Every structure is written in C-alpha cells, then in structure tokens.
Amino acid sequence: MADTGAADQLAPLSVSETPEAKFREFLEIRGEKLTEPRRVLVRQIFDTHKHFDADELVRDVHDSGHAISRATVYRTLRLLVEAGLLRELRLTNRTAYEHDYGYPAHDHMHCTVCNRVVEFRNDEIRRIRDAVSRAHGFRPAGHRFLITGVCSACSRAHSPRRRLDLI
Amino acid sequence: MADTGAADQLAPLSVSETPEAKFREFLEIRGEKLTEPRRVLVRQIFDTHKHFDADELVRDVHDSGHAISRATVYRTLRLLVEAGLLRELRLTNRTAYEHDYGYPAHDHMHCTVCNRVVEFRNDEIRRIRDAVSRAHGFRPAGHRFLITGVCSACSRAHSPRRRLDLI
DNA sequence: GTGGCTGCAAACACTTTGCATTTTT
DNA sequence: AAAAATGCAAAGTGTTTGCAGCCAC
C-alpha cells in the first residue's frame, strides 16, 4: 500500500564491500550468524528498495517466494540499523528505512500532498550542524534535516496523481 | 516515566492572545466547542509543559486532580496541533509535542545518552531551507532540523545521571 | 433541543518477546 | 554439539474509535 520506494534519489556511491559482506563482518564481530533469511532480506533491501517500511519488506519478500516471518524481518531490520547499513526515518509514526551504506549523506524534502520524498545534498547543513554543536559542547553523531511542503508537480497541477499512505 | 519536560528552552515570545483564546477561536470557526476538559488541558499544557507526550499529560492532569480520559487527551492533542498551538515532534516512535504558539522557531539537539532535548536558534537554516526549496521548485511549509549526539554533560561525566525512556 | 463532547472499553496498528524447534558454524 | 536463529502466537505499546449518556450553546 505504501509506495515507500518512491524517492527521487541520488546516485549511489561506489563502495568496495557488498552490503552482505559488511553485514557478515558486523555479525562475526558479535559472534552472530549470517543465515539464509538474513541473506535474503539484505539482498531484497539492497537490490530493490530505497525507502521502505517493515510491512512492505515482508510483502515483497513473500512476493518473491520466500517465507520469512514478520518477527525475523523486524529482528533483522534492527540489526541492519545497528550495523550501519540502514538508517531509520521517522516521518510518520511507523518507522521507515533507507540505505545508509553505499549512499551519500543527504537530507529530505517531503511533499505532504503526494507523499513523495526527494533527496538533496547540501554541505552547508553539516557545517551548521557542527558549528551549532561546538557552540553547545555537543558531540554530534548525526543529523536529520527535513523540509516539509508541496513539491513542484503538486503545486503546479492541482490534481495530485499519487496520494499514498506513507513516506 | 519519561521526563519529557526537560528541554533546555528558549525564552517565550510575547503574544497578544492567550492559547485558550486562540483555541476557542479555532473551534468556533469549525462549529466546535471549548469545553471544560479542553480548557483544563490547554491550561495544563501551556502553564507547565514544554516537551511532553500523551501519557505524561494524562498523568499530570490526573495528578492535579482532574479526571480526564485518555481518549479526550488524544482527541484534544490532535485538535491543538490542527489549531497550530502544538507541534508534533517525532524523535522516537511515540509522538511528543511542543508549544507552537508564543514560542520562537527553533531546532533541536537530542542527546542519545541522557535523552535531553536542547533547543537552539539558527537563522541560516531557514535560509538554506528556502534556497534548497527554490532550487527544486518546492514550496516549503516548514522544516525540522535535529542534531543527534552526546551532550556536554554526558560526554564529560561518563556517568549519565538520567537515562529516561523518551524524548 | 440538538449537535457536539465525554468516558469507557474494545479495537487497531505496529513492534517485541517467550518458547519449542531448526539451522548454522 | 553448542550456540544462535527461526516461526508462531501471544503479549506489548501507543493511539483510535463506536457508542450511550452528558453538556454547552
């Protein structure tokens, strides 16, 4: 139902390790295992999705013929966030995810009419983040900058073609 | 449980109408009514709180001797957001609220160790927001800039005194 | 008096967890 | 063989809603 994959996206970075390799590495350090369900999920996520939520991932994985339980999906998503492969986005009350590996740092514009999410890069933001942090003795680990409003398509045509539930 | 009121806050603006008056006005336009429970909630919120969540509000209202149901609290919070008196903050999966009336525009730093939220003002952010939006033909309605990291107290003393569940 | 409000409890949507079984190394 | 992961279903959270009675205008 949620076309959470519909983000206008930036070009991927080239990274040396595959997401799967990076995940295995992370798991090995913690004495945990890269199992078949986890492999399937990583593949599904990094081959197909951009922005998505747990529900959509469950659906897509089932559609491609794999029977992975909801519980495992949730558990794996948490691991992928801890591993630095995914990042949580909290535009609404359900948690959405986006790639955090092999992808440049960026921020988002969220059109509240068609729900589309557009990514953009702006280096000044990081500069401000660091300056503000320094001024407050705050040690920054990350930031989120989200612009909400109406995208060009929606303010031009007043007949939004897509009003989807999420992201 | 969640000490959601603990934000380092900016000085309030002076506004001509009271929050209650503004709420009444909003309700009147929609043919809705400013009832006693709603009055109590507005008073509680604008006298006491800064950042809070539904649960905390229920608790505080009960503590001050009023019996207002959870349902009414949720319904009123939604109205207050629609009325422009409160703004939703979505730092975690539960919804937190902050004053959006009689309070200057600002952004947040969120300490992931002690959960404290510190507010700051920076006008450059708005400038960047508008520039980025213009470049994309996006009509901005608002923005959220959140810096996550570790506050000075927590990185100094490595014995965080407060590790609360939320906000 | 009427339409909106309230409280209650039940329903929801999303996410987590306990446990017996299976899989991985 | 030991340790960890899975699936299932049940339990949690946080929030919304249907409905009978109540209240403000």
Side-chain angles (χ1 to χ4, degrees):
Chain A
M1 57 204 55
D3 182 9
T4 46
D8 291 22
Q9 38 181 111
L10 305 168
L13 299 173
S14 51
V15 281
S16 39
E17 274 184 314
T18 63
E20 182 175 319
K22 206 183 173 215
F23 193 30
R24 159 177 284 122
E25 197 177 277
F26 166 83
L27 291 169
E28 262 167 14
I29 290 171
R30 319 210 311 185
E32 296 172 354
K33 297 161 184 174
L34 182 56
T35 61
E36 185 56 18
R38 290 178 179 175
R39 246 190 300 266
V40 169
L41 288 169
V42 170
R43 217 170 288 143
Q44 180 80 33
I45 291 168
F46 282 88
D47 284 4
T48 315
H49 284 85
K50 188 67 247 316
H51 292 155
F52 64 96
D53 60 31
D55 225 57
E56 194 185 355
L57 181 55
V58 168
R59 218 173 324 115
D60 288 0
V61 155
H62 283 195
D63 287 356
S64 58
H66 302 274
I68 298 181
S69 76
R70 199 168 277 286
T72 295
V73 167
Y74 275 104
R75 285 189 277 236
T76 304
L77 283 173
R78 196 198 310 198
L79 289 173
L80 288 169
V81 170
E82 289 175 38
L85 290 168
L86 291 180
R87 189 184 311 139
E88 294 183 344
L89 235 38
R90 248 183 273 266
L91 305 185
T92 74
N93 263 346
R94 71 188 69 172
T95 305
Y97 299 86
E98 68 172 8
H99 297 185
D100 191 19
Y101 181 66
Y103 210 73
H106 63 275
D107 291 286
H108 301 96
M109 289 183 288
H110 179 202
C111 174
T112 52
V113 175
C114 67
N115 250 340
R116 189 180 289 271
V117 175
V118 178
E119 300 175 349
F120 65 89
R121 264 170 76 50
N122 183 308
D123 296 326
E124 273 194 277
I125 290 164
R126 195 193 167 95
R127 203 202 79 229
I128 292 175
R129 171 191 102 177
D130 293 341
V132 168
S133 297
R134 200 173 315 112
H136 286 77
F138 197 85
R139 188 151 46 82
H143 72 267
R144 198 117 317 167
F145 183 39
L146 174 69
I147 303 178
T148 51
V150 183
C151 72
S152 54
C154 287
S155 44
R156 211 180 309 121
H158 211 226
S159 54
R161 291 192 311 292
R162 333 176 326 118
R163 173 55 194 179
L164 304 161
D165 19 351
L166 226 251
I167 294 295
Chain B
M1 56 204 60
D3 182 8
T4 47
D8 290 23
Q9 39 180 114
L10 305 168
L13 298 172
S14 52
V15 282
S16 38
E17 275 183 312
T18 64
E20 183 176 317
K22 208 184 172 216
F23 193 30
R24 159 177 285 122
E25 197 177 278
F26 166 82
L27 291 170
E28 261 166 16
I29 289 170
R30 319 209 311 184
E32 295 172 353
K33 296 162 184 172
L34 181 56
T35 60
E36 185 57 18
R38 290 177 180 175
R39 245 190 301 269
V40 169
L41 287 170
V42 170
R43 216 171 288 144
Q44 181 79 34
I45 290 168
F46 283 89
D47 284 4
T48 316
H49 285 85
K50 190 67 244 319
H51 291 152
F52 63 95
D53 59 31
D55 225 56
E56 195 186 354
L57 182 55
V58 169
R59 219 176 321 118
D60 289 358
V61 156
H62 283 196
D63 287 356
S64 57
H66 302 275
I68 298 181
S69 75
R70 199 167 278 287
T72 294
V73 168
Y74 275 105
R75 286 189 276 235
T76 305
L77 283 173
R78 197 197 308 195
L79 288 172
L80 289 169
V81 170
E82 289 175 38
L85 290 168
L86 291 180
R87 190 185 310 137
E88 295 183 343
L89 235 40
R90 246 183 274 269
L91 306 184
T92 74
N93 265 345
R94 70 187 71 171
T95 306
Y97 299 86
E98 68 173 6
H99 297 185
D100 190 17
Y101 180 65
Y103 208 74
H106 61 276
D107 292 286
H108 302 95
M109 289 184 288
H110 178 203
C111 174
T112 52
V113 174
C114 68
N115 249 340
R116 189 180 289 271
V117 175
V118 179
E119 300 175 348
F120 66 89
R121 265 172 74 52
N122 184 307
D123 296 327
E124 273 194 277
I125 291 163
R126 196 192 166 97
R127 203 201 77 230
I128 293 176
R129 171 191 102 177
D130 293 341
V132 168
S133 297
R134 200 173 316 112
H136 285 78
F138 198 85
R139 188 151 44 83
H143 72 268
R144 199 118 315 168
F145 184 39
L146 174 69
I147 304 178
T148 50
V150 183
C151 73
S152 54
C154 288
S155 45
R156 211 180 310 120
H158 210 227
S159 54
R161 292 192 309 291
R162 334 176 326 118
R163 173 53 195 179
L164 304 162
D165 20 349
L166 227 252
I167 292 296

